[in-house]
């Protein structure tokens, strides 16, 4: 298991799917997990620190755990089968509960609990993070190389 950061929720432009992105910063890979609109809203609202007038389901689960004196120690993304991610809630009393990944992440964000992901899943489903500024710099350098000539490197006349 490797620690991952919940980067946030994004809507993919090409197919309009909503994903939550988990970043493995050590490997510079992000794992996109397709989630529903309600789960996306629950994650985004918790990350933004927005409260609702009445508790949402994930808020209720957080409050219920607190009421019975149990903490969410961590969330583990444990399997990927046929495009479906499986998670487990690891509780302070030693109990492990099966969970949808989106629900587990929504609860982890609300409780400031760590999210871990199987290294195998990161290797299999992770996509390389591309730094937009770095990519633009590489494109400018490639353009420079495409148009540079030896004369561009010579100094003023007679000073080579």
């Amino acid at each position: 298991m490797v620690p991952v950061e919940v980067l946030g929720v994004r809507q993919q432009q090409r197919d309009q799917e909503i994903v939550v992105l988990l970043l493995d910063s050590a490997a510079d890979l992000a794992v996109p997990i397709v989630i529903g609109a309600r789960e996306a809203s629950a994650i985004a609202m918790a990350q933004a620190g927005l409260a609702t007038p009445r508790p949402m389901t994930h808020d209720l689960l957080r409050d219920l755990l607190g009421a019975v004196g149990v903490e969410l120690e961590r969330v583990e993304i444990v399997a990927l089968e046929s495009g479906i991610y499986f998670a487990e809630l690891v509780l302070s009393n030693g109990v492990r509960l099966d969970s949808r990944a989106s629900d587990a992440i929504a609860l982890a964000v609300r409780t400031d609990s760590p999210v871990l992901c199987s290294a195998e899943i990161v290797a299999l489903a992770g996509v390389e993070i591309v730094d937009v500024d770095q990519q633009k710099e590489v494109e400018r350098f490639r353009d420079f190389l495409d148009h540079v000539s030896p004369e561009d490197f010579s100094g003023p006349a007679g000073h080579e």
Side-chain angles (χ1 to χ4, degrees):
M1 290 287 168
V2 296
V4 292
E5 175 187 347
V6 180
L7 285 181
V9 176
R10 306 284 186 272
Q11 186 164 7
Q12 304 222 50
Q13 291 180 357
R14 68 177 185 276
D15 51 17
Q16 300 301 306
E17 287 182 322
I18 301 172
V19 297
V20 60
L21 293 172
L22 304 179
L23 173 65
D24 175 359
S25 57
D28 283 333
L29 294 173
V31 177
I33 299 177
V34 176
I35 61 174
R38 288 186 178 158
E39 292 80 7
S41 176
I43 292 168
M45 286 181 66
Q47 285 188 310
L50 299 176
T52 57
R54 301 288 299 143
M56 294 177 63
T57 304
H58 302 100
D59 299 317
L60 179 62
L61 185 53
R62 175 202 58 210
D63 296 346
L64 178 64
L65 288 172
V68 297
V70 176
E71 293 181 11
L72 176 63
E73 284 191 354
R74 66 185 175 278
V75 163
E76 295 181 357
I77 310 298
V78 296
L80 172 59
E81 297 174 15
S82 302
I84 298 171
Y85 289 84
F86 293 79
E88 291 183 356
L89 305 175
V90 181
L91 305 179
S92 59
N93 62 1
V95 172
R96 297 175 76 94
L97 297 170
D98 181 34
S99 175
R100 296 186 317 165
S102 57
D103 289 329
I105 292 166
L107 185 57
V109 171
R110 280 170 172 70
T111 59
D112 292 321
S113 300
V115 179
L116 303 163
C117 188
S118 158
E120 181 179 295
I121 291 173
V122 172
L124 180 68
V127 293
E128 191 172 357
I129 299 296
V130 178
D131 181 334
V132 175
D133 292 332
Q134 183 180 13
Q135 188 175 15
K136 287 179 183 176
E137 186 65 30
V138 169
E139 288 172 11
R140 283 195 295 272
F141 184 65
R142 283 186 180 144
D143 183 56
F144 168 76
L145 291 177
D146 288 343
H147 298 95
V148 73
S149 68
E151 293 78 31
D152 292 332
F153 293 103
S154 62
H159 294 94
E160 296 199 31

